[in-house]
Amino acid sequence: MIPPGSTIGILGGGQLGRMIALAAAPLGYRCHIFCPDDEAPAADVAATWTRAPYDNLAALDAFAAAIDVATVEFENVPAAALERIAAAKPMRPGANVLAVTQDRLAEKALATRLGIATAPYFAVSSAIEAGITARHLTGGAILKTRRMGYDGKGQIAIAAATPDAVVEAWRKLGEVPCILEGFVDFALEISVIIARGPDGQIAAFEPFENRHAHHILAESRWPAAIGPEIVTRAEAVARSLAQALDHVGVMAVEMFVTAGGEVLMNEIAPRVHNSGHLTIEAAATSQFAQHVRAICGLPLGSTERRADAVMRNLVGDAVLEWPKLLLDAGSHLHLYGKSEIRQGRKMGHVTRLFPLGAMT
Ligand code: AMP
């Protein structure tokens, strides 16, 4: 157990780290941010900031010496940095979890091993493989880089997966190791956010329903428009993945639900997740407070829904709506303090609450 009064080290300086640090404060923890960026929304609300690249071993060692437990707020922290810190202090989640979730193929292979359904997928690491795998699919497909993809970056949709089209997409993505996925004609997208403590205790939030625009999450709704049977199956998928990975902390699993009621795993985020931001106002315990509890070995909080809610991301210029949003008593505005508005950049979010049961 890492008791209140201790210092949590967070690798990554974005808005997720900012909201973890804000949730850590009322539980009596201090946060120390480690990230190389010029601007760090998390560092603005944390006690300490080490601004250094993830391969600076001296800076990593000094960081590890100054904290009591370490966590991540984005999944692409280099494995070597995680291992360096893990040699000195508890690293939650562990490097093994990130090794799987940094690689879309390893992630899907884990799901398959656990009997969890996914879109049909094939490894593509050469032009020949790109051509051959295309023959296994009829209709549309998506080619994704195995590593470093997010918010639609590193992926190309292919309307008809002919060998020529897949080879061309593979060349466009830079001829790096990829995964070719069959296109899923889903009815809706959901995510399950689950927390797991070092002792294996687990608590899951009911699924969130997510809508994307231009590959970026636009809106999440709680509860999702799905029946209890799908809720149970979706939670079972998240539980099984968290246990198999021996994950510690909050983890999100994105899934597709088909018109026939099938639940397919899309991807795992081994961290707090954009679709759970509405838990700050709508749940008994926010996903951020839950993450702090999980990594510090405290009892997990109640995941009960206290209100129905809709969260909308303020992406790019949409953040300029803030004066209007402040006038709406039902809206809870969160701005991330980023100085420059850029297209596609998450600048903030707004959560609207509704009476419990109003959205079902
Ligand atoms: P990802 O980066 O894998 O989370 O994909 C981003 C978004 O692209 C997902 O949330 C879906 O909306 C869409 N997408 C990804 N993979 C597929 C697929 N196999 N079939 C249909 N849509 C997909």
Side-chain angles (χ1 to χ4, degrees):
M1 211 253 280
I2 315 289
S6 306
T7 299
I8 299 172
I10 303 176
L11 294 155
Q15 64 268 16
L16 298 178
R18 179 181 180 94
M19 289 183 271
I20 294 171
L22 288 171
L27 290 169
Y29 293 92
R30 263 175 222 93
C31 289
H32 183 153
I33 307 301
F34 189 109
C35 77
D37 314 290
D38 300 341
E39 189 180 70
D44 289 346
V45 301
T48 317
W49 178 15
T50 298
R51 190 177 159 219
Y54 295 113
D55 60 0
N56 182 332
L57 298 184
L60 286 170
D61 289 345
F63 171 74
I67 60 169
D68 300 294
V69 61
T71 191
V72 295
E73 65 97 54
F74 81 114
E75 59 268 45
N76 288 321
V77 178
L82 300 168
E83 278 156 18
R84 187 85 182 186
I85 292 166
K89 293 288 161 63
M91 180 71 239
R92 296 171 176 170
N96 61 309
V97 177
L98 280 94
V100 173
T101 57
Q102 284 175 355
D103 179 354
R104 289 184 189 272
L105 186 63
E107 199 171 82
K108 291 262 182 352
L110 171 67
T112 304
R113 187 163 63 75
L114 296 172
I116 295 168
T118 64
Y121 64 90
F122 306 93
V124 172
S125 46
S126 66
I128 291 175
E129 241 176 352
I132 293 172
T133 51
R135 294 180 207 281
H136 296 292
L137 292 173
T138 49
I142 303 191
L143 188 69
K144 303 178 179 177
T145 59
R146 281 173 57 177
R147 295 182 171 276
M148 299 299 275
Y150 68 99
D151 286 350
K153 295 187 175 65
Q155 51 181 276
I156 294 181
I158 305 166
T162 61
D164 282 353
V166 179
V167 171
E168 192 194 323
W170 184 68
R171 297 217 189 282
K172 271 196 194 145
L173 286 178
E175 307 194 358
V176 294
C178 285
I179 177 171
L180 181 69
E181 290 182 20
F183 192 82
V184 178
D185 186 18
F186 53 79
L188 48 89
E189 290 190 74
I190 59 169
S191 52
V192 172
I193 295 184
I194 189 165
R196 186 169 177 275
D199 58 352
Q201 63 164 322
I202 279 183
F205 293 97
E206 274 176 81
F208 307 95
E209 181 176 333
N210 304 322
R211 195 175 55 75
H212 293 80
H214 314 294
H215 297 284
I216 300 173
L217 182 69
E219 195 179 89
S220 293
R221 306 169 72 83
W222 207 33
I226 51 176
E229 195 210 324
I230 292 178
V231 171
T232 307
R233 274 194 282 136
E235 285 182 9
V237 165
R239 244 169 226 279
S240 147
L241 289 166
Q243 273 159 350
L245 288 166
D246 195 19
H247 180 76
V248 177
V250 158
M251 180 178 114
V253 185
E254 295 180 35
M255 306 175 205
F256 301 130
V257 181
T258 66
E262 237 191 322
V263 174
L264 307 176
M265 187 204 84
N266 177 34
E267 71 173 350
I268 305 169
R271 52 167 170 77
V272 291
H273 192 254
N274 196 168
S275 61
H277 290 359
L278 50 72
T279 58
I280 295 174
E281 288 89 10
T285 310
S286 79
Q287 65 162 344
F288 303 101
Q290 193 76 308
H291 184 64
V292 170
R293 286 172 178 245
I295 62 170
C296 292
L298 306 181
L300 296 179
S302 161
T303 55
E304 185 190 312
R305 179 163 46 86
R306 294 264 168 91
D308 289 6
V310 177
M311 186 276 325
R312 185 163 62 88
N313 269 336
L314 300 173
V315 179
D317 281 348
V319 73
L320 299 173
E321 290 173 42
W322 68 263
K324 191 182 76 186
L325 295 169
L326 277 181
L327 296 176
D328 176 10
S331 289
H332 300 266
L333 178 66
H334 296 256
L335 299 176
Y336 305 150
K338 297 180 182 177
S339 54
E340 194 192 335
I341 300 178
R342 287 200 295 266
Q343 201 193 348
R345 192 175 201 203
K346 291 173 180 168
M347 303 298 296
H349 73 266
V350 60
T351 298
R352 271 197 73 111
L353 295 184
F354 300 90
L356 200 60
M359 282 170 40
T360 47

